[in-house]
Amino acid sequence: MDDSTTRGTDWDEYSATIARRKNSDEWAVLRTAREQHYDRFFSVNPGERVLDAGCGHGEYTMFALERGARVWAIDFSPAMLSYTEQACGAAGLEAESFTRQSVMDIQYPDDHFDVVYCLSVLECIEDPDLALRELLRVLKPGGRLYLDVCNALAVHWRFLFLCLQKLGAAPKGEMRYFRPGELKTMVRNAGGMPTRDCGQAFSPPFSGLYTADLRRYTIFPDWLIRPLDAAYLWLEKVTNHLWPFRTICWHYFLEVRKPDGKGGV
């Protein structure tokens, strides 16, 4: 997670909460949902240079490393960087570097990376337009930028998140929401070309209420949770790439290409 201006959220403190729960059994269904979504939507080849800008707890850093990419991870939260580095080490994965940087002032040269991730970051910073220009600056011509933002059209999820904040079960602070069309316009204004999109988390898991500290509150017995989780994973797989479902998922993902200067992307 990034940035130097995180709109009121203490990401170091939140990181410690997540680190204690990230590998819990009750969180397994959401880890599975994220990984199957990664394999369907992200395009990363072995040996490619990947920048994970705002790496958070390192899930997508590790996904890229497991598939043979070279990864540079940055985040403004020292705690999150530390957790990502520890998680990679525990899994036997080695990134190129873990450095504290802002996505609004990336300390890498122009045209440096084949792929750039910026996932769940733009909604937490003061100047997402500046961040988009920086992300595209360090991307090679023809390269791929992957964005993930909180979707303004997911009103059911926004209501749930507000309730969790009121109950103290979600990070405090102001969150920015983006409409899919708004994000595409911002990308074009920054010099990028939107190519593909999809959603993630059309609905909450059926097996209980998950809070932002990765706890599941459920009334269901253990024997029923597994089929409920299987049904949820099937729904995620079916809905998150289809219109109109993808446009009202909690997470809106957009693939962006940097023009190659030859009239193509």
Side-chain angles (χ1 to χ4, degrees):
M1 179 54 60
D2 202 273
D3 199 283
S4 52
T5 49
T6 51
R7 299 168 68 84
T9 301
D10 185 344
W11 292 109
D12 279 350
E13 180 180 346
Y14 182 56
S15 175
T17 301
I18 299 301
R20 291 191 294 268
R21 300 285 303 161
K22 199 69 174 180
N23 295 316
S24 64
D25 290 341
E26 61 196 273
W27 190 246
V29 63
L30 296 179
R31 288 198 304 271
T32 301
R34 290 183 179 189
E35 187 157 16
Q36 69 181 23
H37 164 262
Y38 181 92
D39 286 331
R40 287 196 305 272
F41 186 69
F42 286 69
S43 175
V44 179
N45 300 311
E48 286 191 312
R49 300 168 64 92
V50 176
L51 173 67
D52 192 355
C55 62
H57 282 85
E59 276 185 311
Y60 288 82
T61 297
M62 294 174 69
F63 289 162
L65 288 170
E66 288 167 350
R67 289 151 181 82
R70 301 174 61 197
V71 183
W72 286 254
I74 67 172
D75 202 291
F76 206 79
S77 163
M80 287 195 170
L81 277 172
S82 177
Y83 180 83
T84 297
E85 186 169 6
Q86 291 174 31
C88 287
L93 301 171
E94 186 174 350
E96 301 297 321
S97 67
F98 303 90
T99 57
R100 186 172 185 259
Q101 295 189 36
S102 165
V103 298
M104 295 186 293
D105 184 23
I106 299 174
Q107 302 300 303
Y108 289 113
D110 297 357
D111 306 334
H112 195 62
F113 296 101
D114 302 292
V115 180
V116 174
Y117 300 161
C118 188
L119 310 174
S120 297
V121 172
L122 296 182
E123 56 265 50
C124 303
I125 62 176
E126 289 296 330
D127 195 340
D129 292 296
L130 174 58
L132 285 171
R133 292 195 294 272
E134 278 290 278
L135 294 164
L136 286 163
R137 177 185 64 79
V138 300
L139 186 64
K140 292 179 181 179
R144 305 175 299 286
L145 166 64
Y146 291 94
L147 301 171
D148 165 28
V149 297
C150 290
N151 187 358
L153 301 183
V155 292
H156 55 309
W157 272 106
R158 293 180 66 178
F159 175 75
L160 176 60
F161 187 79
L162 178 62
C163 291
L164 291 174
Q165 281 189 315
K166 295 295 185 182
L167 293 171
K172 300 188 186 310
E174 183 183 354
M175 296 288 287
R176 189 192 306 267
Y177 297 91
F178 298 86
R179 298 183 308 277
E182 175 188 12
L183 181 63
K184 290 179 181 179
T185 297
M186 292 170 63
V187 162
R188 293 188 185 99
N189 290 341
M193 182 72 70
T195 51
R196 295 188 298 140
D197 63 355
C198 77
Q200 187 187 6
F202 171 63
S203 69
F206 304 147
S207 54
L209 175 64
Y210 283 79
T211 64
D213 64 352
L214 311 189
R215 296 182 184 274
R216 179 179 62 206
Y217 295 92
T218 182
I219 60 173
F220 299 112
D222 290 343
W223 63 266
L224 188 55
I225 286 176
R226 181 169 294 181
L228 287 173
D229 284 346
Y232 166 74
L233 291 172
W234 176 85
L235 179 69
E236 278 289 292
K237 185 175 181 179
V238 169
T239 59
N240 64 17
H241 63 286
L242 297 176
W243 189 92
F245 301 109
R246 70 172 183 264
T247 61
I248 55 174
C249 288
W250 176 236
H251 291 276
Y252 176 72
F253 283 80
L254 183 64
E255 181 189 71
V256 178
R257 293 276 184 164
K258 181 175 180 178
D260 61 10
K262 303 176 183 178
V265 293

